[in-house]
Amino acid sequence: MLPWKRVLRPLAALLLTAAAVTAPATTAQATAQAAGAPSSGWNDYSCKPSAAHPRPVVLVHGTLGNSVDNWLGLAPYLKVRGYCVFSLDYGQLEGVPFFHGLGPVEKSAGQLKDFVDKVLAATGAAETDVVGHSQGGMMPRYYLRFLGGAAKVNALVGIAPSNHGTTLNGFTNLLPYFPGAGDLLAKNTPALADQVAGSDFLDRLNAGGDTVPGVRYTVIATKYDQVVTPWRSQYLSGPDVRNVLLQDLCPADLSEHVAIGLFDRIAFHEVANALDPARARPTTCASAFD
């Protein structure tokens, strides 16, 4: 029997890797919460969608993220362009503040369902558009497929989404060699276990195809992603799907998994194109200054 320290080592490494996803944002946490970031620009339930942008946008954070930190860049970007923007917290674990998206993905999808209903009721819109980072780009697909979301969502935009899980550069392939590590992961941080490539959850989610009728899908990926790997696993197959590699738009863009969701304005420009394809403008390196 392996010593417990060795058994727990892969779990610790997996948690540390996931924590790196949100590390740049944690220093902004106290300031953002104190300043009331959502009420200063987004999560304004008095906002009424315009004729130009008739659907509210719901932002879905990633694993270990939250409704503020994950969107300090993209939410204001969309607000200034005339969108009603909302963000939710989901996947909370008892006793774990700020770092959300850790609960079972299936349960988190139910929280998204309730939040979308709340946004639609407040805005009077018939549909919403959903934009998610990492787990937040994958989890809504459960809502669309199994919880009736396809009738309420026009478009899903995934930024570095974990659509087919991750190997963490092959690390997760080692879990079977450490007895009990996988079970410990599933018990304490279910969302991490759900996102391991080949998990039972992902098998159910992707059985029968990646998409559902009536929803437009966009995936924005970076080849420098070191969290959702291999990065091509983020892509979707099916009708009404557009898969975009950031470096095809701007070869000089070096964003990895964190940056593409937190502050990459080239990625943000492509999100705006996906939300309003009729007014889309070419995304280039110059879009960083748009």
Side-chain angles (χ1 to χ4, degrees), residues 256-275:
E256 36 61 66
H257 188 81
V258 175
I260 191 176
L262 294 187
F263 52 78
D264 190 318
R265 290 177 67 91
I266 297 171
F268 294 174
H269 190 273
E270 195 60 20
V271 169
N273 281 347
L275 294 176

Side-chain angles (χ1 to χ4, degrees), residues 208-218 236-243:
D210 292 345
T211 64
V212 296
V215 179
R216 291 188 295 105
Y217 296 82
T218 301
L236 296 173
S237 299
D240 294 321
V241 169
R242 182 167 182 261
N243 295 310

Side-chain angles (χ1 to χ4, degrees), residues 55-205:
R55 293 176 298 275
V57 177
V58 171
L59 303 178
V60 188
H61 64 74
T63 307
L64 288 167
N66 60 65
S67 62
V68 176
D69 289 346
N70 216 140
W71 306 119
L72 292 173
L74 183 58
Y77 183 95
L78 295 176
K79 279 294 297 183
V80 78
R81 284 157 177 78
Y83 289 91
C84 292
V85 180
F86 301 86
S87 62
L88 78 156
D89 287 306
Y90 72 87
Q92 301 93 328
L93 293 182
E94 185 177 356
V96 182
F98 306 135
F99 301 102
H100 303 318
L102 291 169
V105 177
E106 181 176 345
K107 182 177 179 180
S108 294
Q111 293 178 276
L112 174 61
K113 176 183 183 295
D114 293 342
F115 188 79
V116 167
D117 287 346
K118 178 181 176 181
V119 168
L120 293 180
T123 60
E127 289 184 308
T128 186
D129 290 324
V130 175
V131 179
H133 179 215
S134 194
Q135 180 190 166
M138 173 275 291
M139 177 268 280
R141 294 179 49 229
Y142 190 94
Y143 165 52
L144 298 179
R145 180 177 293 276
F146 298 112
L147 302 180
K152 300 178 181 180
V153 175
N154 168 72
L156 171 61
V157 183
I159 305 171
S162 52
N163 280 321
H164 296 97
T166 179
T167 67
L168 282 176
N169 283 321
F171 175 79
T172 61
N173 296 330
L174 300 178
L175 287 175
Y177 297 97
F178 294 84
D183 292 339
L184 194 61
L185 188 69
K187 179 181 178 180
N188 291 282
T189 53
L192 294 181
D194 284 344
Q195 291 177 89
V196 172
S199 71
D200 290 342
F201 171 82
L202 289 170
D203 285 346
R204 285 187 288 117
L205 175 64

